[in-house]
């Protein structure tokens, strides 16, 4: 079984052969095949850019792998500003001893996910370092924001409705199950959300805020949005969509699904009179069938300071939620 060796990062023949054998084979397109130092890409609209690094273990897990994850993560970050994702770059950090066939599967997964998301991988880099066979990937993405689209955290308004696009905690529960060798049938939800967001944009609904639910989980995301808007967010526990298996898994380990991350879910905040229509559009989109309205945005007042996130419990109580504190859970991306 062929392993990555230091010579694969030398910039010489071994590097060239690795690039041609694995990366060019899967990522082939007109821009990348020019093999220039920088990709020259067309575009004359407002540009959205993002970058992220992916270091998750295990590299492959039920429902996905680090290759699919890095494309989805970058595509989704662009979508959350209303941008249409177009181009992606990828940098590989390979530890000596990494399995070449595993790398080949991951690259193939990246290519398939990029095709699904409608993005082109236009540039890349590979470095090999001493280590124990790890594979890490950095991706950067470029998208274009259509005229008139202005989606950002501060746009939440009093009276708005909060929607989540599906079950929370699936990806985190999957990664944690794999690392703890707990057998179950939970699968990661990692998915590109450009179709879902595109459907919302085409509907003409004035979407105020979009945010993907990743590290820190739904509670952290909503708390950050509440602070950014200086408004009060209140969600209802009984309306939160959680897969029964994930709920049981969390119950066994004493975990809170509100702080379990996803890689294929988003929060949408829209005017209340458009909420039912928006949730139906999400439910009719790929990866959105379990979407639900979970809460409201209101002006701060009384005992609730600006930026509060409140959970209305199934027993009728009120619980203040904060961002995730400390590490606590394994890295999910």
């Amino acid at each position: 079984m062929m392993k990555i060796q230091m010579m694969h990062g030398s910039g010489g023949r071994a590097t060239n052969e690795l690039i041609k054998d694995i990366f060019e084979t899967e990522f082939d397109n007109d821009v990348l095949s020019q093999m220039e130092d920088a990709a020259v890409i067309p575009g004359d609209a407002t540009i959205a850019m993002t970058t992220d690094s992916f270091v998750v273990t295990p590299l492959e897990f039920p429902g996905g792998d680090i290759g699919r994850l890095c494309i989805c993560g970058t595509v989704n970050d662009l979508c959350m500003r209303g941008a249409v994702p177009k181009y992606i770059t990828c940098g590989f950090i390979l530890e000596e001893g990494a399995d070449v066939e595993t790398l080949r599967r991951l690259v193939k997964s990246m290519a398939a996910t990029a095709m699904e998301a409608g993005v082109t991988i236009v540039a890349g880099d590979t470095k090999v370092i001493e280590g124990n066979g790890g594979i890490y990937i950095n991706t950067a993405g470029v998208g274009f924001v259509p005229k008139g689209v202005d989606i950002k955290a501060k746009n939440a308004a009093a009276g708005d409705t909060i929607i989540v696009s599906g079950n929370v905690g699936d990806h985190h529960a999957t990664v944690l199950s794999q690392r703890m060798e707990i057998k179950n049938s939970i699968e990661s939800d990692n998915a590109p959300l450009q179709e879902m967001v595109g459907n919302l944009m085409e509907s003409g609904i004035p979407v105020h805020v979009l945010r993907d639910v990743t590290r820190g989980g739904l509670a952290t995301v909503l708390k950050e949005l509440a602070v950014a808007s200086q408004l009060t967010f209140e969600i209802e526990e009984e309306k939160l969509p959680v897969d029964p298996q994930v709920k049981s898994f969390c119950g066994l380990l004493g975990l809170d699904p509100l702080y379990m991350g996803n890689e294929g879910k988003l929060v949408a905040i829209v005017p209340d009179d458009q909420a039912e229509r928006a949730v139906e559009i999400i439910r009719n989109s790929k990866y959105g069938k379990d979407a639900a309205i979970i809460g409201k945005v209101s002006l701060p007042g009384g005992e609730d300071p600006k930026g509060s996130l409140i959970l209305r419990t199934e027993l009728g109580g009120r619980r203040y939620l904060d961002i995730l504190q400390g590490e606590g859970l394994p890295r999910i991306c």
Side-chain angles (χ1 to χ4, degrees), residues 5 17 30 52 62 106 112 117 124 127 140 144 149 162 185-186 189 213 218 220 226 234 316 324 327 330:
Q5 301 176 43
E17 290 175 351
D30 292 341
D52 206 346
L106 298 177
K127 293 290 188 297
F144 299 109
V149 173
I162 305 168
S185 57
I186 299 171
D189 63 327
V213 183
L218 181 66
T220 297
E234 183 167 312
L324 177 67
E327 180 60 20

Side-chain angles (χ1 to χ4, degrees), residues 91-104:
F92 291 83
I93 305 295
L94 308 176
E95 289 185 349
E96 192 176 22
D99 182 64
V100 170
E101 286 308 311
T102 301
L103 176 62
R104 193 187 304 278

Side-chain angles (χ1 to χ4, degrees), residues 191-204:
L193 301 177
Q194 86 288 344
E195 187 248 4
M196 182 185 298
V197 173
N199 290 344
L200 281 173
M201 296 295 102
E202 290 176 6
S203 73

Side-chain angles (χ1 to χ4, degrees), residues 16 18-42 71 86-92 107 110-111 114 119-126 140:
N16 190 267
L18 183 73
I19 291 172
K20 285 187 175 298
D21 182 40
I22 293 183
F23 301 118
E24 275 192 46
T25 300
E26 299 297 339
F27 296 161
D28 181 50
N29 59 65
D30 292 341
V31 178
L32 190 63
S33 63
Q34 296 174 19
M35 299 300 288
E36 297 285 356
D37 282 348
V40 176
I41 52 179
I71 300 296
K86 293 296 291 184
Y87 303 108
I88 282 184
T89 70
C90 53
F92 291 83
V107 170
M110 289 175 69
V119 295
T120 304
I121 298 172
V122 295
D125 180 50
T126 305

